[in-house]
Amino acid sequence: MIKKLLFSLAILFTLNLSFGQNTMGTILVTEDAYEGYTLFSTHTKAYLIDNCGREINSWSSTYPPGNAVYLMPNGNLLRAGRLVQSPNPVSFGGTGGVVEIFDWDGNIIWTWIDSSDTSRQHHDVYPLPNGNVLILAATVVDGIDAIEAGRDPDQLTDNQLYNERIYEVEPVGATGGNIVWEWNVMDHIIQDFDASKDNFGSVENNPGKIDINFLNGFEPVKNWLHFNAIQYHEAFDQIVISSRRMSEIWIIDHNTTTAEAAGPSGDLLYRWGNPQAYRQGTENDRKLYGQHTPYYIPEGLPNEGKLVIFNNGFGRMPDYSQVDIIEPPVDTNGNYTYIPNTAYGPTSTFYTYPATPPTENSDFYSAIVSSARQLPNGNILICEGREARFFEIDSNENIVWEYISPISNADGATYEQGNSPPPNNFAFRATKFSPDYPAFAGRDLTPGEPLETNPDLSACNTLNTINTNQPIVGLFPNPTENTITINTNLQIDKIEVFTTLGQKVLESQSNSVDLSSQEKGMYFLRIYSDQKIITKMAIKG
C-alpha cells in the first residue's frame, strides 16, 4: 500500500512544462505548482486566474487601484480604489480615497469615501471576521500642532505632518457606515528634542512609542511614515503594520476601546526591522528596507505563527529584493518578549529567499509594492509587484510557476503574446486561493480565456492531458479541526485517508471524513469516483 501511494504521489509531482515562446501570461507551469486561483488587481479591474492564466472571474470598477484587494470567504470582493481629485491636498504614492465591496457577479454592494482636505484612505484595507472593514488613512497635522507635539521645526519643511490613522467601519446600507474603533500614530509619539513641548521623554527607554524626529535618512517631508500595509491576526486580535519610511513592522492591539487605543494600551506591542528607530541599534543592525505586506502565517499552514515580509531592498546596495520569514518572540496569548535596552528579536531571519545576497544588482528587485504568501503545500507565492510578475517557489527554491500580467496598469490595455509586457506593469499584491476556499462553493469556476491576446496554451494543454483532465475537487474547510467535506459534482464511491508515511487511518463512503480523532498534521485523501482515483492533501489543525 505504501509503495502504491508513493508511486501515485510521484506521478503528481514530476511534470515541468514551460511556455517556450511566452513573454507574458503563464510563463511556466509545473505539477509542483500549488493548484489554486490567483487574485490580483490592475488598472480598474481585479482578476482571478487559474495556473494556466485563464480567467475564472473578474470585477470592474470605475477607479484605478488604491491599492489592496481581498476575496472574502462569502465570495464578495473588497477593493480599494483611487479617487482622482485635483487638487488633492493629501497626496503621495499609494493614495486611494474610495473603498468598494462587490458581490461575486460584480455588482457594487457598498462604497465608502475617505477623501477630503484633511483625510485620505491609502494603500490598504482589511476585511475583519465580524464583517467590518479596517481602513488605513492619512490625516493632516498642521505645523503648529506638529511643533507642539515635539517635531523639530527645521524638520518641518512642508509645514505639515501626516498622522496615520487606522479605523474600523461597520458598513451600513450602500454608502454608509459606523466607525466603531480607531487608532492614531499621534497618540503614541515621543521626542527628546524640546522639553517644553508635548511627548518629551527618553526614546531609548520607550520602544512602544514612535520618535517624531527619526527620519531614517529621508528628507523631512510631511509623509514621514508612509504606512503601506495593515494585516490582521485574528487569534491575537492584533494589527500588523508596515512603515516603509521607518523600515519597520509594528504590531498594535485591536482588543481595546478607542479610548484605550489612544493611551498606553495603544502603544506598539512589537517592532522589528530597524532598531535605530528607537535607539537600540545602528545601521548595521537594520534588516528591512522599504518592506511591504508583513502578515502572520495562519494556523494549519507550514511555518504557522511566523511572519512573512516582502523586503523590497529600497535604498540598499546592491539593488535586490528578498522574502523574509521571522519568528517573533510571542507566546500563545499574543504577548511579546522584550529585554530593556536591547532591540526586539529575532536577531536573524528564520528563512530568507534568496538565501545568499547578490554581489551586484539583481533581476529580482521591486523597489515598491509586492508581497509573498505561504501556500499550504509548502510553496511560497511571490509578487514582484513593479513588474506584475508572480512566481511560486518550492522548498528547494525552484520556480514551479511563473506569470506576468498582460494588462497595462496605465490604461487597461491588453497586450499580445509574443510582444514585450506592458511598460507600465504594476500589481500591489497577489494572493492564491485553494479550490476549496469557501468563496468558491457553488460557483461556476469554468476557466475562460487567458487575459493576453493570441495566447499560447500548448504546454498547459499537454499538462492537462497527462494529468488525465482531472476535475477540480475541493476540500472544505482545509485546514480543519474536525470534519472535512469534499466539494465535487462527481459521485464519490469511497474516500481513504493516509498519513504522509502511507499508513491508512480512515475510510469513508460519504463525501466527508472526520479527522477529529487524528493527530495534527498533513494527510492525503484518496478519492474514488467513476473509476477515477484523485489524491488531495488535507491539513488537520
Side-chain angles (χ1 to χ4, degrees), residues 128-149:
L128 293 174
N130 63 2
N132 295 350
V133 180
L134 282 179
I135 294 178
L136 172 62
T139 59
V140 175
V141 179
D142 67 35
I144 294 174
D145 289 339
I147 291 172
E148 184 59 36

Side-chain angles (χ1 to χ4, degrees), residues 35 66 70 85 89 91 157 165 194 303:
E35 177 187 359
Y70 297 88
Q85 289 181 290
S91 180
T157 55
R165 175 192 184 208
D194 188 340
N303 295 315

Side-chain angles (χ1 to χ4, degrees), residues 282-480:
T282 68
E283 180 65 21
N284 292 332
D285 301 304
R286 183 176 171 186
K287 302 294 192 298
L288 296 179
Y289 296 83
Q291 75 291 329
H292 283 75
T293 319
Y295 81 104
Y296 270 106
I297 298 173
E299 183 179 350
L301 295 187
N303 295 315
E304 65 177 74
K306 298 179 178 64
L307 276 163
V308 180
I309 310 161
F310 188 97
N311 194 354
N312 294 73
F314 180 74
R316 173 174 57 187
M317 296 298 293
D319 292 336
Y320 71 98
S321 296
Q322 63 193 51
V323 174
D324 291 332
I325 298 179
I326 67 169
E327 192 164 14
V330 62
D331 65 21
T332 56
N333 296 315
N335 300 308
Y336 296 84
T337 300
Y338 179 70
I339 301 173
N341 301 313
T342 64
Y344 277 96
T347 57
S348 60
T349 61
F350 174 83
Y351 169 84
T352 291
Y353 168 85
T356 303
T359 56
E360 57 186 23
N361 291 348
S362 171
D363 290 336
F364 175 43
Y365 178 62
S366 180
I368 58 174
V369 297
S370 308
S371 65
R373 297 286 185 185
Q374 177 73 66
L375 298 177
N377 66 346
N379 292 355
I380 296 174
L381 175 68
I382 299 171
C383 167
E384 190 177 355
R386 189 59 190 88
E387 306 296 331
R389 174 184 176 234
F390 318 139
F391 65 101
E392 189 177 321
I393 59 172
D394 64 14
S395 58
N396 295 315
E397 300 188 350
N398 300 307
I399 296 178
V400 296
W401 182 71
E402 183 176 5
Y403 181 89
I404 297 176
S405 170
I407 309 297
S408 169
N409 187 61
D411 56 12
T414 301
Y415 278 61
E416 184 176 359
Q417 185 62 261
N419 295 331
S420 297
N424 189 334
N425 228 6
F426 180 95
F428 186 58
R429 290 182 187 139
T431 307
K432 200 169 201 178
F433 298 90
S434 302
D436 54 8
Y437 184 59
F440 304 139
R443 312 288 186 189
D444 181 4
L445 302 178
T446 304
E449 294 298 317
L451 304 186
E452 67 272 17
T453 57
N454 192 29
D456 176 10
L457 290 182
S458 55
C460 204
N461 290 335
T462 303
L463 181 73
N464 288 339
T465 300
I466 295 175
N467 203 30
T468 66
N469 289 310
Q470 289 185 355
I472 291 177
V473 177
L475 307 182
F476 175 75
N478 190 21
T480 184

Side-chain angles (χ1 to χ4, degrees), residues 211-231:
D211 183 359
I212 196 172
N213 291 307
F214 178 70
L215 299 180
N216 198 30
F218 288 98
E219 294 297 315
V221 297
K222 53 190 173 184
N223 181 29
W224 64 294
L225 293 168
H226 194 98
F227 283 11
N228 57 31
I230 52 172
Q231 300 284 279

